Amino acid sequence: MHPTPAQPFDGSHDREIESLAEFDEVVAARGALSHYRVQAVDLTDRTAVLLTLDTTGTVFLGCPMDPEAAAKARASGALVFPPIPGLSFDPYRAFVYTPEELFESLDEGGYEATPDAVTYAWFQRTKSDGDVFASMLRSLHDDAVSDALDELLVGARVVGVMGGHAMARGTEAYAGAARLGRRLARAGLTVATGGGPGAMEAANLGAYAAPFADGMLTEALGILARAPRFTPSVTDWASAAFEVRTRWPRGGPSVGIPTWFYGHEPPNPFAAHIAKYFSNATREDGLLARCTAGVVFLPGAAGTVQEIFDSATPNYYESRGEPTPMVLVDRAHWTERLPTWPLLRALAEERAMAHRIALVDRIEEAPEALKRLGG
């Protein structure tokens, strides 16, 4: 419900306009835009309307518009943040990314020509140059992505699947992670991963395969095995994924939350919704905070260990409320190779989180353990 002119804006109303259709709807219903936030909407064809509207307190974030309309809006008390020319990304974007958007031009110029690669190159050039304008653009972008992700996940039961990027296509571990993602998605959960290759891609692939007969996943795994890793060629790796998507279109949805901080690792194309960040700290905290139905941790290295304790800390202090389930997969990995489990169990002792952690031997046991813990 949009507020009427007589209603105060108390923070409980949706004041964001994120599409031209929504703009037209609000204008038709209210005859004014006062105190709305118009986000990345092309208004070049709405000049006549903008010249007549009350825009007191309105904020236009990266909206292309006629100079006359922009001047009128400013004179009426609006804040107008113009689009930033020459960028490969929109710092004011209203929605998370899609695989098609990030991998545009893959077929024509290879991965190096895609918006994902071009944006990573921009980040590499600007991340250490001390330019406050560049750092501001990154912060604006990441805040907009967080806002879009929150809107996307309203009411969703989100389960995270964390694991290493080194897990290669064509391995039994990769196939197992894909079957896990499929099973979780078929249980009505929204699968969320770090959005990269390896175990992350496998879980997103499984969610993508959920609506199809079981044989689809077996065939898809065979296609992907032709390009086991994203090195030496991201183009070949990504092209194999898009071959699967083309053969089986309209797969199940899931979420990937990668970062350009690790931009040498491309996002995987099986997550329907990709919330990609510049700041890895913002990305990590946001990913785990949104996993309201728990997290499954597959074998990984330093990044996965970090994610385990990033998840354990708010569970320990209950800073986000009741602890959420944590399931670690592969007893030998988490007790011998990287003995994370003994420390996690010691932390949990006599805390509420003690009843929300589990260690299982096989990936097939993870869904039942998650369910037993309350996820």
Side-chain angles (χ1 to χ4, degrees):
M1 174 183 175
H2 290 293
T4 65
Q7 289 177 300
F9 287 95
D10 59 5
S12 62
H13 301 287
D14 179 10
R15 294 184 288 168
E16 296 178 9
I17 296 175
E18 298 167 334
S19 69
L20 196 58
E22 192 174 6
F23 174 88
D24 291 339
E25 177 188 344
V26 170
V27 170
R30 298 188 67 231
L33 279 180
S34 53
H35 300 287
Y36 273 83
R37 282 77 176 99
V38 190
Q39 191 173 352
V41 179
D42 189 339
L43 299 174
T44 52
D45 291 334
R46 295 296 185 272
T47 300
V49 175
L50 288 168
L51 292 176
T52 65
L53 287 176
D54 176 10
T55 56
T56 305
T58 307
V59 179
F60 294 93
L61 297 170
C63 298
M65 64 176 74
D66 184 89
E68 183 182 7
K72 163 64 168 57
R74 291 189 185 96
S76 298
L79 287 175
V80 180
F81 293 81
I84 310 298
L87 289 179
S88 58
F89 64 95
D90 183 355
Y92 306 113
R93 63 179 303 112
F95 305 100
V96 297
Y97 293 94
T98 65
E100 293 82 1
E101 183 179 2
L102 288 175
F103 285 97
E104 184 182 1
S105 302
L106 179 71
D107 292 339
E108 293 80 17
Y111 175 69
E112 291 73 17
T114 65
D116 185 65
V118 173
T119 300
Y120 176 54
W122 177 89
F123 179 47
Q124 289 292 94
R125 290 195 306 271
T126 64
K127 67 180 182 180
S128 302
D129 65 5
D131 183 357
V132 67
F133 183 58
S135 62
M136 181 193 73
L137 292 176
R138 295 194 295 269
S139 296
L140 285 172
H141 170 274
D142 286 2
D143 190 65
V145 167
S146 290
D147 181 67
L149 187 58
D150 285 339
E151 293 174 355
L152 175 71
L153 295 178
V154 169
R157 296 172 61 226
V158 181
V159 59
V161 179
M162 309 298 153
H165 67 271
M167 185 184 289
R169 296 167 172 175
T171 63
E172 178 51 37
Y174 184 97
R179 290 191 293 268
L180 171 66
R182 183 177 64 183
R183 184 171 172 184
L184 294 171
R186 287 178 174 176
L189 296 164
T190 297
V191 173
T193 77
M200 297 171 280
E201 180 190 52
N204 288 128
L205 167 64
Y208 187 89
F212 301 102
D214 288 357
M216 173 269 176
L217 181 56
T218 301
E219 291 187 63
L221 290 170
I223 294 171
L224 295 173
R226 300 172 195 161
R229 303 180 186 277
F230 65 90
T231 56
S233 173
V234 176
T235 300
D236 291 346
W237 177 86
S239 295
F242 278 102
E243 181 181 343
V244 171
R245 288 174 52 93
T246 300
R247 184 169 174 184
W248 293 280
R250 297 180 295 279
S254 64
V255 177
I257 307 181
T259 172
W260 279 293
F261 184 81
Y262 298 128
H264 61 286
E265 296 181 8
N268 78 75
F270 291 110
H273 311 288
I274 302 177
K276 191 155 190 178
Y277 288 87
F278 289 107
S279 168
N280 187 52
T282 302
R283 168 251 192 174
E284 286 279 9
D285 185 67
L287 169 57
L288 294 165
R290 291 175 174 89
C291 293
T292 53
V295 184
V296 177
F297 297 93
L298 303 179
T304 310
V305 171
Q306 177 184 346
E307 288 164 341
I308 288 172
F309 291 104
D310 280 346
S311 183
T313 300
N315 280 347
Y316 179 88
Y317 290 110
E318 299 184 51
S319 55
R320 294 177 184 146
E322 187 177 355
T324 52
M326 299 175 63
V327 179
L328 278 62
V329 176
D330 192 329
R331 188 177 303 272
H333 184 86
W334 295 120
T335 61
E336 298 171 17
R337 183 184 176 201
L338 296 175
T340 304
W341 173 253
L343 177 54
L344 181 64
R345 187 172 57 182
L347 279 172
E349 189 173 351
E350 298 182 1
R351 311 287 295 195
M353 67 178 286
H355 304 290
R356 292 298 181 92
I357 63 172
L359 175 66
V360 299
D361 288 311
R362 298 179 299 110
I363 199 168
E364 292 79 10
E365 301 174 74
E368 184 57 38
L370 191 68
K371 183 177 180 181
R372 184 175 69 251
L373 296 177

